[in-house]
């Protein structure tokens, strides 16, 4: 199956494209809606996928940022992300991949331990964000944050590259506190 | 199909399956987690040599008859912060004070004389031996008893409410408990919720502590399922049952998945590697095996649903924080794990 | 009126929720007889209403059968409070095609049941033609009939007979007949508070029987039903639910009638397109084709009509553990893994239908689950081939 590569296509003019991957359809849709409501100078495109690889018979713009969404309430969602990660080119991990763990707020529903996702993000040298997407206000601020990250990754922010961003985000001593 | 291979630079192994190697920068949270895991691995599923050692405590000091009433009853779990100036020598005094408090609450606003004749009586006692090490404080039993209002009846007492506080192998987890504090982090109650609330209020006022309901998430339920399946039970009294709640709308769906205990044990033995230690990897694999067997038949991914209850011949636990212990032999082992969860919650 | 009858009337009326009181009472023939002035019960205290009604019933000398009829009406309204088992009857090939006579059915049902019960009590277990444990198969009813009509107890039975059982009938919608049976013994009057209900659709091979703890009576009931409806054999199907109407719809294959018409008018393509209209064009669903496939398969299997209502399905699995996770696990073990899996939901089929679209199950779902309406079963035993 096709491996997703960051430099397959040329960037579209002023276009920034994010790919959200996760089994939680409704949550991804809501997050996408919130992102598109953000005021942003770039033309945003949000691709939603349940899993990777993506269907290969379609033309799509260059993907600037992939965010894997893990629902801590569902082990299946973690397994799905782990499986999908195999279909991502290594070059993406130079700052164009992020993990988002949702559901930590309701601990009694959790089947995935927070440390498990933490280790996953560490293993892939990518930032991990925690956010309960079901809570409107949290989702909106997460959408805001993702839009900023996306703009950086798409090269729309002068002077900051995706790799810069990665080292900035990774520099904090305690990644578990990230986004909490 | 693309002819390119996934580049080697991508770490391939599943991070979740390698807990020990990925010991991250030691934040307090992680250190505690590691310790919980270690503890868990020493709980009931520990090697046969270690289990009797742990149980000996109970055997020396406590007659199984005396703890029999703790078994086969459904308890609601709470975690409790350390008690300030609690003294085992004052239990009689506490009985009187709590009786008076409950009576006063019941007849709101009316002052009640301490020790005055009431229809209810409270008894405090120490449950000796319900602990893991000598450093654990003794468990405390509180009961609300009814006294017959008719003096003619031959003083028959009925237990209206029971609650107990304990700490089993808590010492290794608790950093330092300051002087004047007694740490009994696990509280188990059975009876009317209003009574639990009253007792809770009195404890909070008297010992400056705070209660909170102790829920058990699916992650910990899986651990319990694995550890309890691993136990050597003389006689199986129940099947190994998992209850899953499926988050589908508009109709809810529950799936009960019961496995013959001998078969569950065989599966566990086949998954279990190093004797004496239960690892996260094994627990995950055990659950994955069950889910994959289920998927083969029904094409449903149980891992996408929520585990809400686990029952075995040793004990049964519900995510709401309800527990029933069935096997005397593993009482201490079960309480040890619950103590850990309670400590984890209060810290 | 007998004290026990008064008590029975009272308890039956007390069961009825106030909101339904008038509807149920007016369906009750005896209510007209007591010539009650009330046409509405709103704003009245239930206790006083019940008190008045019981007095009126006493005046008019209500009998057990009157009260039993009221109980049937109540149960018809609250049929979902019982769990219903489905029984299927068969005729021997080449049997005569009889015309069904309701009157004859009722009288022979009652007679046969009384005699069978009498015999079962005179000759318990060993000599009764069918032992309690004999599962659901109750064949040989023709032979039994001969025994019944010729046996030593054919005479002199009528005196005790009324003590053994009380049977009440009520005709219902779609020609169905509701039968209420209260069981007694030689020594005790029938217990009116633990009756068994049978719903029979004449000229069909199906009957629905409310499940009760009196397991031993069910074979007798089966015999009476088989003979009275001129069948030869009755089998209890592995199919039960609270929702009698859904059981009926599945058994008589009435549930998918809407399917054909609806499917013809709106093809799947159009409907899924309709969904996309309000979507932002900047959001691209990568797995659309897969989703459409899942949707399509789900509709093929379940149809797009509301599913008949069942609350559970149970599977006893005795299959060998196989896993693609790790080859070694339980590989040397020959014994199967013994499991009991139970699905429960307020609306099981509807819940199952939603699983694959929600990404919780594969599409298509396992035939073990999708075959429930077709096989008319919700209790299964699964073994390796």
């Amino acid at each position: 199956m096709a491996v997703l590569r960051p430099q397959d296509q040329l960037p579209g003019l002023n276009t920034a494209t994010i790919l959200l991957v996760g089994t939680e359809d409704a949550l991804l849709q809501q997050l996408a809606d919130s992102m598109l409501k953000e005021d942003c100078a770039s033309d945003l495109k949000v691709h939603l996928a349940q899993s990777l690889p993506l269907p290969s018979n379609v033309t799509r713009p260059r993907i600037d940022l992939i965010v894997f969404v893990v629902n801590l309430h569902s082990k299946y969602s973690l397994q799905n992300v782990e499986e999908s990660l195999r279909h991502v080119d290594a070059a993406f991990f130079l700052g164009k991949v992020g993990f988002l763990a949702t559901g930590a707020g309701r601990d009694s529903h959790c089947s995935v331990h927070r440390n498990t996702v933490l280790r996953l993000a560490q293993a892939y040298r990518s930032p991990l964000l925690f956010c309960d997407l079901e809570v409107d206000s949290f989702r909106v601020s997460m959408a805001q944050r993702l839009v900023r990250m996306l703009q950086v990754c798409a090269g729309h922010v002068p002077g900051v590259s995706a790799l810069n961003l990665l080292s900035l985000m990774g520099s904090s001593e305690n990644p578990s506190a990230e986004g909490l | 199909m693309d002819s390119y291979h996934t580049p080697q630079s991508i770490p391939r192994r599943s991070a979740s399956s390698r807990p020990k190697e990925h010991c991250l920068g030691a934040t307090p949270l992680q250190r505690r987690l590691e310790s919980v895991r270690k503890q868990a691995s020493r709980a009931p599923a520990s090697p046969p040599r270690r289990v009797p050692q742990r149980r000996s405590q109970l055997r020396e000091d406590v007659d199984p008859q005396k703890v029999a009433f703790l078994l086969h009853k459904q308890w609601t779990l709470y975690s409790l912060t350390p008690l300030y100036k609690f003294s085992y020598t004052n239990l009689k005094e506490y009985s009187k004070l709590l009786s008076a408090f409950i009576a006063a609450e019941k007849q709101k606003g009316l002052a009640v004389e301490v020790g005055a004749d009431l229809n209810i009586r409270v008894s405090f006692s120490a449950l000796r031996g319900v602990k893991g090490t000598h450093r654990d404080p003794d468990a405390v039993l509180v009961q609300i008893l009814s006294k017959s209002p008719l003096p003619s009846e031959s003083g028959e007492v009925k237990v209206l409410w029971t609650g107990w506080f304990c700490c089993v192998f808590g010492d290794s987890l608790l950093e330092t408990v300051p002087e004047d504090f007694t740490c009994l982090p696990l509280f188990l109650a059975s009876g009317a919720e209003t009574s639990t609330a009253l007792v809770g209020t009195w404890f909070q006022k008297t010992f400056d502590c705070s209660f909170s309901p102790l829920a058990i998430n699916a992650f910990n339920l899986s651990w319990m399922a694995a550890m309890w399946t691993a136990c050597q039970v003389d006689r199986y009294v129940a099947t190994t049952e998992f209850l899953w709640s499926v988050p589908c709308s508009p109709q809810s769906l529950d799936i009960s998945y019961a496995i013959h205990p001998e078969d569950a044990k065989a599966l566990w033995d086949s998954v279990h590697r190093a004797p004496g230690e239960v690892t996260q990897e094994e627990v995950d694999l055990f659950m994955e095996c069950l889910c994959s067997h289920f998927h083969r038949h029904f094409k449903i991914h149980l891992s996408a649903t929520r585990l809400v209850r686990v029952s075995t011949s040793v004990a049964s636990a519900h995510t709401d924080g309800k527990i029933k212990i069935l096997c005397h032999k593993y009482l201490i082992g079960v309480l040890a794990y619950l103590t850990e969860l309670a400590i984890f919650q209060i810290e | 009126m007998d004290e026990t009858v008064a008590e029975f009337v009272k308890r039956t009326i007390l069961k009825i929720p106030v909101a339904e009181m008038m509807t149920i009472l007016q369906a009750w023939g005896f209510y007209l007889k007591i010539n009650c002035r009330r046409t509405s019960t709103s704003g009245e205290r239930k206790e006083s209403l019940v008190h008045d009604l019981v007095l009126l019933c006493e005046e008019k000398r209500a009998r057990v059968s009157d009260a039993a009829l009221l109980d049937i009406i109540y149960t018809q309204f609250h049929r979902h409070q019982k769990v219903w088992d489905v029984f299927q009857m068969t005729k021997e090939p080449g049997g005569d095609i009889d015309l069904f006579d309701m009157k004859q059915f009722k009288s022979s049902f009652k007679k046969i049941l009384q005699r069978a019960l009498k015999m079962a009590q005179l000759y318990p277990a060993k000599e009764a033609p069918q032992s309690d444990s004999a599962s659901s198969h109750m064949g040989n009813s023709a032979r039994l009939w001969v025994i019944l009509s010729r046996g030593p107890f054919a005479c002199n039975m009528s005196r005790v007979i009324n003590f053994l059982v009380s049977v009440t009938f009520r005709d219902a919608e779609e020609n169905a007949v509701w039968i209420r049976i209260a069981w007694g013994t030689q020594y005790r009057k029938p217990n009116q508070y633990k009756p068994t209900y049978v719903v029979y659709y004449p000229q069909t091979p199906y009957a629905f029987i409310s499940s009760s703890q009196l397991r031993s009576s069910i074979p007798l009931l089966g015999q009476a039903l088989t003979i009275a409806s001129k069948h030869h054999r009755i089998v209890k199907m592995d199919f039960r639910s609270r929702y009698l109407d859904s059981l009926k719809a599945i058994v008589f294959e009435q549930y998918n009638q809407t399917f054909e018409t609806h499917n013809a008018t709106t093809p799947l393509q159009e409907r899924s397109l309709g969904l996309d209209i309000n979507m932002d064009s900047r959001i691209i669903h990568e797995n659309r084709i897969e989703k459409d496939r899942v949707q399509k398969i789900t509709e093929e299997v379940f149809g797009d009509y509301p599913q008949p209502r069942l609350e559970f399905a149970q599977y006893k699995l005795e299959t060998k553990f196989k896993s693609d996770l790790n080859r070694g696990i339980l590989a040397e073990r020959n014994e199967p893994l013994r499991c009991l899996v139970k699905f429960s939901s307020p609306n099981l089929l509807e819940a199952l239908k939603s699983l694959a679209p929600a990404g919780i199950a594969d599409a298509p779902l396992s035939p073990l689950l999708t075959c429930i309406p077709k096989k008319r079963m919700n209790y299964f035993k699964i073994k390796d081939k």
Side-chain angles (χ1 to χ4, degrees):
Chain A
M1 284 289 196
V3 170
L4 203 57
R5 242 177 292 277
Q7 308 300 347
D8 268 1
Q9 290 117 324
L10 289 171
L13 188 65
N14 201 35
T15 305
T17 307
I18 188 170
L19 172 63
L20 303 176
V21 182
T23 49
E24 314 299 309
D25 247 2
L27 287 181
L28 295 196
Q29 177 74 44
Q30 285 176 325
L31 181 60
D33 288 337
S34 305
M35 285 181 71
L36 293 174
K37 281 193 193 119
E38 283 303 310
D39 203 18
C40 167
S42 318
D43 293 334
L44 295 185
K45 285 249 187 294
V46 186
H47 286 239
L48 306 180
Q50 209 135 36
S51 58
L52 299 184
L54 298 178
S56 49
N57 51 354
V58 206
T59 51
R60 60 177 68 83
R62 190 184 74 177
I63 287 167
D64 302 298
L65 173 63
I66 310 176
V67 174
F68 291 96
V69 179
V70 176
N71 180 359
L72 297 177
H73 302 178
S74 158
K75 243 187 184 170
Y76 183 63
S77 108
L78 174 72
Q79 288 160 353
N80 174 68
V81 164
E82 287 174 337
E83 233 356 86
S84 298
L85 279 162
R86 299 163 173 271
H87 304 281
V88 179
D89 184 86
F92 259 111
F93 295 97
L94 299 170
K96 294 185 173 222
V97 169
F99 292 91
L100 199 165
T102 178
R106 273 167 96 184
D107 182 64
S108 67
H109 279 50
C110 286
S111 12
V112 177
H113 202 282
R114 270 194 275 183
N115 274 22
T116 310
V117 256
L118 206 61
R119 283 190 293 262
L120 181 71
Q122 288 251 316
Y124 284 93
R125 307 282 183 274
S126 299
L128 169 64
L129 308 164
F130 280 99
C131 171
D132 275 329
L133 293 178
E134 279 169 27
V135 182
D136 289 347
S137 56
F138 292 175
R139 188 178 61 244
V140 168
S141 59
M142 179 50 65
Q144 224 163 42
R145 191 164 177 180
L146 288 181
V147 169
R148 298 292 162 264
M149 280 171 71
L150 175 60
Q151 283 183 295
V152 171
C153 293
H156 296 180
V157 179
V160 196
S161 73
L163 211 51
N164 279 153
L165 186 70
L166 177 65
S167 56
L168 277 174
M169 292 184 77
S171 69
S172 63
E173 261 304 302
N174 178 10
S176 73
E178 187 65 62
L180 277 176
Chain B
M1 282 296 265
D2 198 303
S3 60
Y4 292 95
H5 298 287
T6 316
Q8 289 306 309
S9 60
I10 299 177
R12 282 293 199 75
R13 38 182 126 80
S14 152
S16 62
S17 60
R18 323 196 62 205
K20 294 266 152 79
E21 281 110 305
H22 288 270
C23 232
L24 302 168
T27 66
L29 174 122
Q30 285 146 14
R31 239 186 301 125
R32 219 178 305 133
L33 187 83
E34 282 306 316
S35 97
V36 168
R37 290 301 127 245
K38 239 175 21 219
Q39 266 303 112
S41 68
R42 274 191 280 132
S46 57
R49 240 174 284 114
R50 265 194 235 166
V51 173
Q53 252 181 16
R54 310 200 108 204
R55 280 189 290 121
S56 63
Q57 210 88 36
L58 180 70
R59 221 176 248 165
E60 279 164 25
D61 308 336
V62 156
D63 166 11
Q65 296 286 319
K66 287 213 174 129
V67 292
F69 75 98
L70 303 178
L71 305 176
H72 300 284
K73 195 178 277 173
Q74 182 167 286
W75 301 101
T76 306
L77 304 173
Y78 296 85
S79 63
L80 178 64
T81 58
L83 307 168
Y84 179 61
K85 296 219 160 157
F86 176 85
S87 161
Y88 285 89
T89 52
N90 289 346
L91 295 183
K92 264 205 178 132
E93 180 74 13
Y94 297 152
S95 303
K96 278 188 205 152
L97 289 171
L98 182 53
S99 300
F101 176 77
I102 292 171
E105 283 293 313
K106 291 211 162 149
Q107 321 171 10
K108 277 218 177 93
L110 298 172
V112 173
E113 196 189 325
V114 175
D117 214 3
L118 306 158
N119 288 336
I120 59 135
R121 188 163 63 82
V122 174
S123 107
F124 271 70
S125 55
L127 270 175
R128 292 194 200 286
V130 181
K131 54 175 167 178
T133 67
H134 289 294
R135 284 172 56 205
D136 286 329
D138 272 326
V140 175
L141 174 72
V142 181
Q143 287 187 308
I144 303 178
L145 311 158
S146 80
K147 281 192 292 191
S148 167
L150 303 167
S152 58
E153 273 179 53
S154 54
E156 201 176 290
V157 284
K158 211 176 116 197
V159 179
L160 299 176
W161 180 92
T162 307
W164 46 298
F165 304 78
C166 71
C167 179
V168 177
F169 290 104
D171 58 343
S172 55
L173 290 172
L174 291 159
E175 312 269 288
T176 43
V177 182
E179 226 178 299
D180 290 337
F181 281 93
T182 307
C183 191
L184 291 164
L186 182 63
F187 172 59
L188 306 94
S190 160
E193 260 175 62
T194 47
S195 302
T196 307
L198 277 180
V199 174
T201 312
W202 184 81
F203 265 81
Q204 284 176 9
K205 279 185 182 168
T206 315
F207 304 110
D208 196 20
C209 56
S210 108
F211 289 82
S212 44
L214 181 61
I216 310 170
N217 65 25
F219 177 81
N220 289 315
L221 283 177
S222 307
W223 265 90
M224 291 177 177
M227 292 189 302
W228 297 343
T229 301
C231 290
Q232 290 287 347
V233 180
D234 307 329
R235 194 171 58 89
Y236 288 117
V237 292
T239 57
T240 304
E241 191 203 352
F242 298 82
L243 186 70
W244 309 79
S245 161
V246 183
C248 64
S249 59
Q251 302 295 338
S252 66
L253 174 64
D254 289 329
I255 300 175
S256 148
Y257 183 8
I259 300 120
H260 193 289
E262 286 166 18
D263 299 353
K265 178 80 164 67
L267 179 64
W268 171 256
D269 290 342
S270 176
V271 158
H272 186 52
R273 298 267 168 263
E277 219 183 30
V278 176
T279 64
Q280 181 68 55
E281 203 175 4
E282 288 168 353
V283 175
D284 285 343
L285 187 56
F286 178 63
M287 295 305 284
E288 271 170 40
C289 283
L290 291 172
C291 292
S292 122
H293 186 69
F294 190 88
H295 180 262
R296 196 162 71 83
H297 289 89
F298 300 106
K299 305 287 170 223
I300 294 173
H301 300 284
L302 282 181
S303 58
T305 71
R306 185 159 78 99
L307 181 60
V308 292
R309 195 185 67 209
V310 164
S311 22
T312 69
S313 288
V314 171
S316 74
H318 192 283
T319 183
D320 296 348
K322 300 252 170 27
I323 191 138
K324 200 185 256 181
I325 303 170
L326 303 176
C327 180
H328 172 254
K329 189 171 152 190
Y330 291 104
L331 174 69
I332 293 297
V334 171
L335 292 176
Y337 191 71
L338 294 175
T339 302
E340 283 159 23
L341 296 184
I343 292 175
F344 192 69
Q345 179 160 308
I346 56 175
E347 278 191 351
Chain C
M1 188 166 71
D2 187 332
E3 210 175 280
T4 54
V5 179
E7 179 65 19
F8 180 28
V9 171
K10 189 176 150 197
R11 284 216 227 167
T12 310
I13 298 175
L14 273 173
K15 276 198 291 193
I16 308 172
V18 178
E20 292 164 8
M21 191 66 88
M22 277 329 283
T23 329
I24 289 180
L25 286 177
Q26 274 163 358
W28 184 35
F30 193 76
Y31 186 68
L32 302 172
K33 234 192 260 175
I34 59 180
N35 206 8
C36 189
R37 297 165 303 276
R38 295 164 203 272
T39 50
S40 147
T41 52
S42 55
E44 210 170 339
R45 285 192 58 217
K46 196 173 173 183
E47 289 79 6
S48 65
L49 175 73
V50 172
H51 182 75
D52 290 359
L53 282 170
V54 173
L55 278 182
L56 282 167
C57 288
E58 272 178 50
E59 265 174 41
K60 294 284 173 189
R61 297 180 184 281
R63 288 162 306 157
V64 176
S65 58
D66 296 314
L69 207 55
L70 179 61
D71 191 41
I72 293 188
I73 298 166
Y74 169 82
T75 310
Q76 287 178 323
F77 270 79
H78 296 269
R79 48 187 77 179
H80 57 276
Q81 286 175 356
K82 307 233 170 272
V83 176
W84 299 90
D85 279 307
V86 185
F87 286 75
Q88 187 175 26
M89 296 182 283
T90 44
K91 284 187 181 179
E92 261 160 29
D96 306 337
I97 298 158
D98 294 300
L99 286 174
F100 185 83
D101 180 345
M102 184 63 99
K103 218 170 161 188
Q104 196 196 335
F105 168 79
K106 287 180 186 170
S107 80
S108 64
F109 176 84
K110 198 167 171 176
K111 221 185 291 170
I112 297 160
L113 184 63
Q114 285 172 339
R115 291 185 183 186
L117 196 62
K118 173 73 183 156
M119 188 170 68
Q121 289 184 357
L122 284 176
Y123 301 92
K126 255 188 279 168
E127 290 183 54
Q130 303 291 322
S131 70
D132 299 353
S133 58
S135 60
S136 45
H137 298 269
M138 293 168 249
N140 291 334
S141 48
R143 194 166 55 85
L144 173 73
W145 177 235
V146 175
I147 300 170
L148 282 172
S149 45
R150 277 194 304 200
F153 29 79
C155 53
N156 271 344
M157 269 176 36
S158 50
R159 256 183 296 145
V160 273
I161 265 172
N162 287 332
F163 247 49
L164 290 174
V165 68
S166 76
V167 181
T168 318
F169 297 94
R170 182 166 201 265
D171 297 330
E173 77 284 354
E174 293 178 68
N175 293 327
V177 57
W178 280 62
I179 314 168
R180 178 185 186 277
I181 302 118
W183 306 93
T185 65
Q186 278 164 283
Y187 314 105
R188 195 180 280 172
K189 278 189 180 177
N191 180 354
Q192 298 296 343
Y193 302 106
K194 280 178 183 167
T196 304
Y197 287 90
V198 180
V199 182
Y200 175 57
Y201 287 82
Q203 285 169 304
T204 75
Y206 296 106
F208 305 88
I209 301 181
S210 69
S211 55
S212 71
Q213 294 109 329
L214 290 161
R215 275 161 203 274
S216 58
S217 326
I218 299 299
L220 305 177
L221 195 56
Q223 285 164 14
L225 200 58
T226 317
I227 301 166
S229 65
K230 296 178 181 152
H231 284 87
H232 291 96
R233 198 176 140 83
I234 186 163
V235 174
K236 183 180 164 196
M237 296 167 73
D238 291 319
F239 195 33
R240 57 194 342 217
S241 167
R242 289 187 178 282
Y243 300 100
L244 180 63
D245 298 332
S246 293
L247 287 178
K248 196 195 97 202
I250 291 172
V251 162
F252 295 130
E253 290 179 64
Q254 293 163 331
Y255 61 94
N256 54 359
Q257 280 170 354
T258 48
F259 173 49
E260 313 292 338
T261 52
H262 195 277
N263 201 31
T265 51
T266 13
L268 180 72
Q269 214 63 37
E270 271 175 45
R271 267 173 287 138
S272 58
L273 276 176
L275 265 173
D276 289 349
I277 288 170
N278 359 345
M279 252 183 229
D280 196 314
S281 64
R282 291 172 295 173
I283 298 179
I284 298 99
H285 288 262
E286 293 282 356
N287 306 111
R288 268 229 15 217
I289 295 168
E290 170 62 12
K291 255 190 215 156
D292 285 349
R293 183 191 73 88
V294 170
Q295 198 65 42
K296 193 163 158 256
I297 288 177
T298 304
E299 285 208 358
E300 274 169 16
V301 174
F302 288 94
D304 68 344
Y305 44 86
Q307 299 296 307
R309 215 166 158 184
L310 297 175
E311 325 84 85
F312 40 76
Q314 186 176 300
Y315 297 82
K316 207 173 165 188
L317 304 178
E318 286 188 9
T319 51
K320 208 170 149 11
F321 178 82
K322 263 185 242 151
S323 161
D324 32 58
L325 293 168
N326 250 16
R327 294 280 143 73
I329 297 168
L330 288 185
E332 286 106 68
R333 195 171 188 262
N334 290 318
E335 297 85 45
L337 207 63
R338 288 161 289 178
C339 304
L340 186 72
V341 175
K342 192 170 177 182
F343 295 83
S344 34
S345 164
N347 191 337
L348 178 69
L349 295 176
E350 209 63 69
L352 293 177
K353 188 180 173 181
S354 72
L355 291 181
I360 296 166
D362 296 348
L365 203 60
S366 161
L368 290 182
L369 294 166
T370 54
C371 76
I372 294 170
K374 237 172 281 153
K375 285 207 169 163
R376 302 162 187 173
M377 274 170 91
N378 55 359
Y379 284 75
F380 296 86
K381 276 183 193 158
I382 311 295
K383 286 189 175 172
D384 283 323
K385 273 179 202 152

